[in-house]
Amino acid sequence: MEPTGETQSCRYTDESTKDKYVIKLLHPIKTNGFQGLRMDDIAKAMDLSKATLYKYFTSRDEIIERLTALFIKYIVCAEAKLAEGDSKAYIDGFQSAFAQSLLVANYSTEVFFNDLREVYPQLMASLNVAISERNERLRRFHERGMKEGYMHELNATLLILQDELMFRNLLDPHCLMKQNLTLRNAISDYYQLKKLQLFKPDVYEQIDDSSMVERIEHLVRKVTYGVA
């Protein structure tokens, strides 16, 4: 069904509402990509009628472009301003980056990225730039923490690569099953390992994990069910 003249003349233009509906596609697209998605499927995922969908969006192209922009803004670049200063600033920055790295790995699936490369190479190029810039921010953050004496002297680039590889495995149900792990316990234990790996003893003793317990629980629900 194509949008009618009446539909086109009754456009819904609220940007925050559009974003709210588009973000609902992240969970299904990370699993199945988007090449097979019809507008009927998109409307169902957004919990909209097809007629209402066309009042918000003119085409699937518009939806995928907005989805990629949201992916970059809220998934890749959410921790763009990593704090620096005292030990608490580096602890907060580490906790924020840990959570965000998990989300980046969760949604950066091969099927989604392959569809972007094939159908929208310019969007994939923009996403690659954003990921590279994020990794550079993280590298500088770690190196500042080392220079100021809060973190152990380690290869910052390898720390970032370690997270990418570890999260990729921890998010794989087959890997978890093979290793007799649950997602919740694996993420929690990896967080504890990262703290020990990164921070010097005097800083490590200052870390308050009370907020991270709830944060990790929310991340597990988001990864598993796609909850907001």
Side-chain angles (χ1 to χ4, degrees):
M1 171 181 164
E2 295 301 322
T4 64
E6 181 182 355
T7 302
Q8 291 282 15
S9 65
C10 301
R11 306 293 305 165
Y12 294 166
T13 58
D14 183 77
E15 298 300 322
S16 62
T17 302
K18 287 184 176 184
D19 290 349
K20 179 187 73 173
Y21 286 125
V22 168
I23 210 73
K24 291 183 178 183
L25 295 177
L26 273 175
H27 192 68
I29 281 178
K30 78 167 189 177
T31 303
N32 301 310
F34 58 79
Q35 287 209 60
L37 279 181
R38 303 168 301 164
M39 292 299 274
D40 292 301
D41 302 318
I42 292 173
K44 183 176 180 181
M46 292 182 181
D47 197 24
L48 295 172
S49 69
K50 194 172 178 181
T52 302
L53 175 67
Y54 275 119
K55 290 184 178 181
Y56 283 107
F57 308 102
T58 59
S59 66
R60 193 181 73 163
D61 287 347
E62 179 188 353
I63 293 169
I64 299 303
E65 288 174 8
R66 182 176 286 264
L67 178 68
T68 305
L70 291 174
F71 185 96
I72 291 172
K73 182 177 181 180
Y74 293 113
I75 305 299
V76 177
C77 296
E79 85 307 298
K81 294 182 179 178
L82 288 167
E84 57 182 295
D86 59 8
S87 58
K88 185 179 185 307
Y90 282 99
I91 292 168
D92 291 345
F94 155 68
Q95 291 176 332
S96 176
F98 181 91
Q100 212 62 31
S101 293
L102 173 60
L103 291 180
V104 171
N106 178 56
Y107 294 114
S108 300
T109 59
E110 185 176 351
V111 63
F112 174 36
F113 279 18
N114 281 343
D115 280 1
L116 275 182
R117 289 189 193 97
E118 184 172 336
V119 184
Y120 305 101
Q122 75 284 3
L123 296 181
M124 189 67 235
S126 297
L127 183 50
N128 281 333
V129 168
I131 291 173
S132 294
E133 291 176 346
R134 175 184 189 267
N135 288 343
E136 178 61 18
R137 289 193 300 273
L138 286 177
R139 185 188 65 78
R140 292 197 301 266
F141 170 75
H142 283 109
E143 290 181 348
R144 289 196 307 269
M146 296 171 198
K147 183 178 180 180
E148 295 177 20
Y150 300 116
M151 298 180 179
H152 294 294
E153 291 286 340
L154 298 167
N155 187 312
T157 300
L158 291 182
L159 288 172
I160 296 166
L161 181 60
Q162 173 186 269
D163 282 350
E164 292 176 358
L165 295 175
M166 278 297 298
F167 283 133
R168 190 179 306 164
N169 281 283
L170 297 184
L171 291 166
D172 181 352
H174 299 292
C175 180
L176 291 175
M177 185 178 299
K178 185 177 180 180
Q179 302 300 329
N180 196 28
L181 296 169
T182 66
L183 178 61
R184 181 177 291 99
N185 289 341
I187 297 301
S188 296
D189 288 349
Y190 183 55
Y191 169 74
Q192 297 299 328
L193 287 172
K194 287 289 293 187
K195 286 195 307 178
L196 283 168
Q197 179 187 39
L198 283 179
F199 291 105
K200 292 187 175 181
D202 58 327
V203 180
Y204 179 85
E205 293 174 359
Q206 301 174 34
I207 299 176
D208 180 2
D209 283 338
S210 55
S211 64
M212 279 303 290
V213 173
E214 183 177 347
R215 195 171 192 174
I216 288 173
E217 184 64 30
H218 179 72
L219 288 168
V220 169
R221 292 198 305 271
K222 183 184 286 285
V223 166
T224 306
Y225 305 111
V227 299

